[in-house]
Amino acid sequence: SKGEINPELIQISRFVDDLDQLRKTLGFTKISILGHSFGGLLAMQYAIAYPQYIDQLILLSPTPSSSEDYSLFGKELASRLIPHSEKLK
């Protein structure tokens, strides 16, 4: 992307509010959300903010949901890649 980025517009709380506005606009009382990668993190945040509107929450390879989980993910990934480092170069 080109141009100025306004950090105030790039916040997960805004994305969660956008999802809820979409739910309201489409006229759904409850929704099922499938979240993949970053979308999984967003889906989890939506479910925390609006549990009353969730029918089903489906997570497909979600981004780690906490800094601790992200750290564990990085360590696990590194341990799996080390044996193959020469091939990967």
Side-chain angles (χ1 to χ4, degrees), residues 1 4 11 14 16 24 35 43 46 54 56 64 66 71 79 82:
S1 298
E4 294 291 320
Q11 296 181 15
R14 275 189 79 101
V16 166
K24 290 176 189 175
Y46 183 87
I54 294 290
Q56 296 176 7
S66 69
S71 177
S79 74
I82 286 171

Side-chain angles (χ1 to χ4, degrees), residues 19 33-35 38-48 57-59:
L19 277 176
I33 298 179
L34 183 146
F38 176 77
L41 179 63
L42 179 58
M44 287 185 269
Q45 291 295 318
Y46 183 87
I48 290 168
L57 180 63
I58 306 156
L59 304 175

Side-chain angles (χ1 to χ4, degrees), residues 9-45:
L9 298 178
I10 304 174
Q11 296 181 15
I12 200 157
S13 60
R14 275 189 79 101
F15 301 152
V16 166
D17 291 342
D18 287 347
L19 277 176
D20 196 53
Q21 188 59 49
L22 179 62
R23 178 195 62 79
K24 290 176 189 175
T25 299
L26 295 174
F28 294 118
T29 303
K30 288 193 170 234
I31 57 175
S32 297
I33 298 179
L34 183 146
H36 174 257
S37 191
F38 176 77
L41 179 63
L42 179 58
M44 287 185 269
Q45 291 295 318

